[in-house]
Amino acid sequence: MDEVKQIVTDIRNGNLKPIYFLMGEEPYYIDKISDYIEDNVLAEEKKGFNQMVLYGRDISVDDIVSNAKRFPMMAERQVVIVKEAQDLARQIEKLAAYAENPQPSTVLVLNYKYKKIDKRKALYKSIKKTGVVYESKKLYDNQVADWIRRVLSGQNYSITPKAAQMLVEFLGTDLSKISNELDKLKIILPKGTEISAEQIEENIGISKDYNNFELRKAIGERNTLKAFQIVNYFADNPKDNPMVMTVSLLFSFFSQLLQFHGLSDKNPRNVASALKINPYFVNEYTVAARNFPMRKVSAIVETLRDFDVKSKGVGANAIPQGDLLKELLVKIFN
């Protein structure tokens, strides 16, 4: 995120590079940088003749070079943006010769999503000398809630830990989807608002009471009644609550709980650091550890491995996922 801010700041200050190669598994920041260049480098009246958007599936590297070598018309520079440049993966190294000596009046932007170029080869080395190579790495599940908080803080909003966790569990690690949902909230909520679980439920449609976050908590507390209520809700709404996601999140929780049991220092700060969780959730692990000793946790982890396979249809094709989840809860609580 800091690297993105620096790239945007440099562009805003007029410190433009002739090539921006934006690559990696997470498309969100690739789009952010590319869109910023598209919207801000040229004045609106200059864009008609001096800004073009190309698509990798429709062109070759030779086409890119040909367009990049053009001189701008009645302007200081031109902008050439190549979207879906990953479709040129087989020939992208041919761009190395241009990258060695790029046209100084052209800003060439390549959006190379979900892939990255070989850093040992000539193209990467050439662009590093003359331009910018940005690699957008996918965030891990345990990093996304912090990302949500940082993004909202920069826009004068905040969010409760539970609300952030609800977004992560419902939307996964897709930053673009999460950003779109946050944008909807910002339309209706004034700046300075702390976004709550209730507001997430009302405006995005994620239940604050019947979700994987609450299921995990109920299991940790050995609250069988609440756990089965949540699972029954999942069984009635399978599209919004796929079993494979539930099993994955429970596997992560009990794996962390196993790690918790092995910690010699169970100070909340040390637990949060070791388990890579928000300190807000440490008490849940403390409670769950009292209810599930290490030997039982190890058995549950093995059970979850078995149900992970079943949730994907192996050996349980004819069994409704709701029934599988109920069977899983019985095994966890026994």
Side-chain angles (χ1 to χ4, degrees):
M1 196 168 174
D2 290 341
E3 188 179 356
V4 175
K5 286 181 180 177
Q6 187 59 56
I7 291 171
V8 170
T9 298
D10 286 344
I11 295 168
R12 186 185 298 123
N13 293 336
N15 182 18
L16 287 155
K17 299 295 184 182
I19 304 179
Y20 291 85
F21 199 97
L22 314 173
M23 65 181 187
E25 295 179 18
E26 176 50 65
Y28 177 79
Y29 283 117
I30 292 175
D31 287 335
K32 283 289 183 186
I33 296 170
S34 180
D35 290 347
Y36 186 83
I37 293 172
E38 185 174 354
D39 293 340
N40 295 282
V41 168
L42 294 179
E44 204 61 43
E45 66 271 13
K46 305 283 187 182
K47 291 180 181 179
F49 291 111
N50 296 294
Q51 183 160 288
M52 64 191 68
V53 177
L54 309 172
Y55 289 86
R57 65 179 177 272
D58 301 325
I59 58 170
S60 66
V61 168
D62 290 339
D63 295 325
I64 296 172
V65 173
S66 175
N67 281 286
K69 284 186 173 180
R70 284 192 321 125
F71 288 99
M73 294 182 63
M74 297 176 290
E76 182 182 348
R77 61 176 59 90
Q78 68 161 348
V79 175
V80 178
I81 299 171
V82 183
K83 298 189 175 183
E84 311 301 337
Q86 69 274 9
D87 289 342
L88 294 164
R90 292 184 179 179
Q91 54 175 301
I92 198 67
E93 276 297 319
K94 289 171 62 178
L95 194 61
Y98 174 80
E100 279 286 344
N101 186 29
Q103 181 78 1
S105 58
T106 294
V107 177
L108 175 61
V109 184
L110 296 114
N111 298 343
Y112 200 82
K113 296 179 179 179
Y114 314 112
K115 295 182 179 182
K116 54 187 179 180
I117 52 174
D118 192 330
K119 296 179 181 179
R120 299 167 298 178
K121 292 188 176 181
L123 177 59
Y124 177 83
K125 293 175 181 177
S126 297
I127 298 176
K128 285 292 285 183
K129 290 178 186 175
T130 59
V132 170
V133 180
Y134 169 69
E135 183 178 350
S136 184
K137 296 179 180 178
K138 203 164 189 68
L139 296 184
Y140 294 112
D141 288 353
N142 59 13
Q143 296 174 312
V144 180
D146 283 335
W147 177 85
I148 292 170
R149 281 188 283 275
R150 289 199 307 272
V151 168
L152 287 172
S153 176
Q155 298 162 347
N156 199 19
Y157 289 87
S158 58
I159 188 168
T160 66
K162 179 177 178 179
Q165 193 67 29
M166 284 168 64
L167 285 172
V168 176
E169 292 187 356
F170 189 72
L171 300 170
T173 60
D174 189 324
L175 302 188
S176 296
K177 280 186 181 178
I178 295 171
S179 179
N180 287 339
E181 296 301 333
L182 293 177
D183 286 344
K184 293 176 188 175
L185 288 171
K186 285 182 287 184
I187 290 171
I188 57 175
L189 300 175
K191 290 198 172 197
T193 298
E194 181 181 52
I195 298 170
S196 66
E198 288 76 15
Q199 288 163 334
I200 295 288
E201 180 177 46
E202 289 169 12
N203 298 290
I204 297 180
I206 307 170
S207 172
K208 68 179 176 63
D209 296 316
Y210 298 96
N211 56 63
N212 285 307
F213 170 82
E214 291 296 330
L215 176 62
R216 185 185 76 184
K217 186 177 179 183
I219 290 173
E221 294 172 348
R222 274 195 171 270
N223 188 336
T224 55
L225 176 60
K226 185 174 180 182
F228 275 98
Q229 285 175 337
I230 294 170
V231 164
N232 285 331
Y233 178 86
F234 286 1
D236 292 337
N237 302 274
K239 288 185 179 178
D240 293 334
N241 305 279
M243 181 180 172
V244 65
M245 177 67 74
T246 299
V247 172
S248 174
L249 290 167
L250 289 177
F251 180 83
S252 176
F253 174 66
F254 278 100
S255 297
Q256 288 173 312
L257 193 57
L258 197 60
Q259 188 180 353
F260 177 93
H261 275 297
L263 292 174
S264 56
D265 179 3
K266 291 186 171 61
N267 177 282
R269 182 176 295 180
N270 184 60
V271 171
S273 175
L275 271 57
K276 297 182 174 58
I277 59 174
N278 188 299
Y280 175 86
F281 298 111
V282 168
N283 189 57
E284 284 187 27
Y285 289 82
T286 304
V287 171
R290 287 199 295 264
N291 289 322
F292 295 92
M294 180 179 277
R295 182 176 294 181
K296 177 61 176 174
V297 174
S298 296
I300 291 171
V301 168
E302 289 305 311
T303 298
L304 286 163
R305 290 185 197 276
D306 180 44
F307 273 80
D308 178 57
V309 174
K310 289 182 178 179
S311 73
K312 294 166 183 171
V314 179
N317 284 332
I319 305 175
Q321 291 203 346
D323 291 343
L324 281 174
L325 275 176
K326 292 170 191 174
E327 181 187 346
L328 174 59
L329 281 189
V330 170
K331 288 182 178 292
I332 288 174
F333 286 127
N334 282 347

